């Protein structure tokens, strides 16, 4: 499984938005167990697709499903990036 993020390119004649380019550049360099990995980037005429590793739940869901509460070591691990 993978997760995909689509960025619509409003003006097809224009270049890729600087924010999207910056996001891709940063995510490609980041390697950390607490950050979802960007595995591929697909450029089409009207959209840019970013392909990420699939995560079964996000941090909020993880916290909500952990009982009774997270210990200090786990909290430190989650917020350290």
């Amino acid at each position: 499984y993978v997760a995909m993020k689509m960025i619509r390119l409003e003006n097809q004649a224009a270049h890729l938005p600087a924010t999207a380019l910056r996001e891709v550049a940063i995510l490609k360099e980041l390697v950390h167990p607490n950050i979802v990995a960007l595995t591929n980037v697909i450029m089409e005429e009207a959209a840019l697709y970013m392909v990420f590793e699939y995560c079964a739940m996000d941090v909020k869901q993880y916290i909500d499903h952990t009982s009774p509460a997270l210990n200090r070591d786990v909290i430190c691990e989650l917020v350290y990036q």
Side-chain angles (χ1 to χ4, degrees):
Y1 294 104
V2 297
M4 294 181 72
K5 177 179 180 178
M6 179 183 75
I7 298 174
R8 289 192 185 115
L9 304 176
E10 299 297 326
N11 185 354
Q12 296 170 5
H15 296 285
L16 188 63
T19 53
L21 188 58
R22 197 167 27 249
E23 182 177 0
V24 169
I26 291 170
L27 286 169
K28 281 191 158 230
E29 290 185 22
L30 289 174
V31 178
H32 191 278
N34 293 349
I35 299 174
V36 65
L38 177 65
T39 60
N40 199 3
V41 178
I42 303 165
M43 182 73 182
E44 291 188 350
E45 268 188 48
L48 170 74
Y49 297 92
M50 293 189 288
V51 183
F52 295 91
E53 68 177 314
Y54 177 77
C55 295
M57 62 180 78
D58 62 21
V59 175
K60 171 127 175 46
Q61 291 170 328
Y62 176 77
I63 291 168
D64 290 345
H65 288 91
T66 304
S67 61
L70 298 174
N71 66 41
R72 185 176 190 270
D73 293 336
V74 172
I75 293 169
C76 289
E77 183 180 323
L78 289 173
V79 299
Y80 178 77
Q81 295 177 18

